[in-house]
Amino acid sequence: MKSNNPDFAELLREYGSKATPGRVTLLKVLWQEDKPISVAGLKKKLDPSFDEVTLYRALESLTASGLIREVDFRHGHAHYEMNALREHHHHIICTSCGRVEDTECRVQEAKLTKASAFRIITDHTAEFFGLCNSCIKTA
Amino acid sequence: MKSNNPDFAELLREYGSKATPGRVTLLKVLWQEDKPISVAGLKKKLDPSFDEVTLYRALESLTASGLIREVDFRHGHAHYEMNALREHHHHIICTSCGRVEDTECRVQEAKLTKASAFRIITDHTAEFFGLCNSCIKTA
DNA sequence: ATCACAAACGCAATATACTTGCAATTGAAC
DNA sequence: GTTCAATTGCAAGTATATTGCGTTTGTGAT
Ligand SMILES: [Mn+2]
Ligand SMILES: [Mn+2]
Ligand SMILES: [Zn+2]
Ligand SMILES: [Zn+2]
């Protein structure tokens, strides 16, 4: 739970989307989550009448606009988190208990454009996998 | 195509796998590839009698042992590349033409264990997406 | 060389994650 | 309030990967 909720309808419009009731609710759920959430997780938090296909299409659309972001935790399905109004970052995931921690981005894309045949790098992934301290103890 | 082929059967045994004819062939194909290849790509290069389920199980097993590595190009399916006998690295992928280039790893996992509640980091992903120089020109 | 057995295989069935087609609805711009 | 592209809802479909299970095989031990 967070305070100072942004105006989700306005935010959606700023990113070129229509501010439908479903998308406003979806965005609110993503805002309240403190870590990337799966489609299954979203369905549980949303009204059962929220159509699954509509959900997939909203996620695709909002990801394309950059309002939200898709993250790969190697669970065989996508996770999503708020991208706007947040600082760019990555994650450390415990492969034993699933615990997730944000971690600051230390990647410098600019250096890569000098070392490669790519002049434009738009985006990158960087997730870390390991064991959190409580899982180390019980191991 | 590369010269100085390693002994694939011996390599498989070193990584705790049985050196079956199928796995030896699979490993050879992965060795000859210069970039991560999909399951569909592998099937094309392998004998049609190579069972698909056997292929999936071999990939899972060899990935678990660290002999090969799974890479996510955001194509909706996995890609695999040789991991043993190679230096750890990452990739830059052109989102327009699919061109792939290796890039050296600049990530320092050790620094992360100090900044987080994780003492053990075993693994990380880091792939870069952008436009290669020939796709920039034609854009 | 033979044996024992876990690992790997082959085939059919199944599961999960996600996509497509299309008619109906609706938010936003004018 | 009219217009229209964006979005929705439902049904059907696709792609990717997994599971179950009986059979085969590579490997280490004798
Ligand atoms: Mn998950
Ligand atoms: Mn591919
Ligand atoms: Zn980053
Ligand atoms: Zn690395």
Side-chain angles (χ1 to χ4, degrees):
Chain A
M1 208 65 101
K2 296 188 182 185
S3 45
N4 278 359
N5 272 6
D7 182 338
F8 297 116
E10 185 50 33
L11 192 55
L12 282 161
R13 285 184 212 103
E14 278 170 21
Y15 278 79
S17 167
K18 291 210 289 194
T20 65
R23 290 186 175 199
V24 169
T25 311
L26 169 59
L27 209 54
K28 190 176 181 182
V29 170
L30 287 168
W31 172 259
Q32 287 171 344
E33 286 296 312
D34 64 333
K35 58 176 189 172
I37 183 171
S38 67
V39 173
L42 285 167
K43 283 178 73 179
K44 278 182 201 158
K45 301 232 166 193
L46 294 165
D47 191 279
S49 74
F50 199 122
D51 186 78
E52 191 178 10
V53 173
T54 299
L55 176 54
Y56 272 108
R57 286 200 267 233
L59 291 169
E60 182 188 30
S61 167
L62 303 189
T63 301
S65 73
L67 183 41
I68 68 174
R69 187 160 81 106
E70 189 179 329
V71 181
D72 180 13
F73 283 172
R74 291 177 170 170
H75 289 187
H77 53 257
H79 288 67
Y80 296 88
E81 71 177 355
M82 200 74 181
N83 190 44
L85 312 176
R86 294 213 52 187
E87 206 168 341
H88 170 68
H89 66 280
H90 301 287
H91 305 92
I92 311 183
I93 301 102
C94 178
T95 51
S96 171
C97 73
R99 177 175 174 180
V100 175
E101 194 175 308
D102 284 354
T103 186
E104 94 184 58
C105 176
R106 291 181 179 81
V107 175
Q108 300 200 11
E109 288 178 349
K111 284 187 180 170
L112 271 170
T113 61
K114 288 173 188 168
S116 73
F118 285 66
R119 288 287 92 76
I120 301 181
I121 292 175
T122 51
D123 189 27
H124 63 260
T125 59
E127 312 302 328
F128 300 85
F129 301 87
L131 291 172
C132 75
N133 291 348
S134 60
C135 282
I136 293 173
K137 286 171 197 160
T138 58
Chain B
M1 207 64 99
K2 297 187 181 184
S3 45
N4 277 359
N5 273 5
D7 182 339
F8 297 116
E10 185 50 31
L11 191 55
L12 282 161
R13 287 186 210 101
E14 278 169 21
Y15 277 79
S17 166
K18 292 211 288 194
T20 64
R23 291 187 174 198
V24 169
T25 311
L26 169 59
L27 209 54
K28 191 175 180 182
V29 169
L30 287 169
W31 172 260
Q32 288 171 343
E33 286 295 313
D34 64 334
K35 58 176 188 172
I37 183 172
S38 66
V39 173
L42 284 168
K43 283 178 73 178
K44 277 183 202 157
K45 301 231 168 192
L46 294 165
D47 191 280
S49 73
F50 199 123
D51 185 77
E52 191 178 9
V53 173
T54 299
L55 176 54
Y56 271 108
R57 286 202 265 235
L59 291 169
E60 181 188 31
S61 167
L62 304 189
T63 301
S65 73
L67 183 41
I68 68 175
R69 186 161 83 106
E70 190 179 328
V71 181
D72 180 13
F73 282 171
R74 293 176 168 170
H75 289 188
H77 53 257
H79 287 68
Y80 295 88
E81 71 176 354
M82 201 73 180
N83 189 43
L85 312 176
R86 293 213 52 186
E87 206 169 341
H88 170 68
H89 66 280
H90 301 287
H91 306 93
I92 311 183
I93 302 101
C94 179
T95 51
S96 171
C97 73
R99 178 174 173 180
V100 174
E101 193 175 308
D102 285 352
T103 186
E104 94 185 58
C105 176
R106 290 180 178 81
V107 176
Q108 299 201 13
E109 287 179 349
K111 284 187 181 172
L112 271 170
T113 61
K114 288 172 189 169
S116 73
F118 285 67
R119 288 287 93 74
I120 301 180
I121 293 176
T122 51
D123 190 27
H124 63 260
T125 58
E127 311 302 328
F128 300 84
F129 300 87
L131 290 174
C132 76
N133 291 348
S134 60
C135 282
I136 294 174
K137 287 171 196 157
T138 57

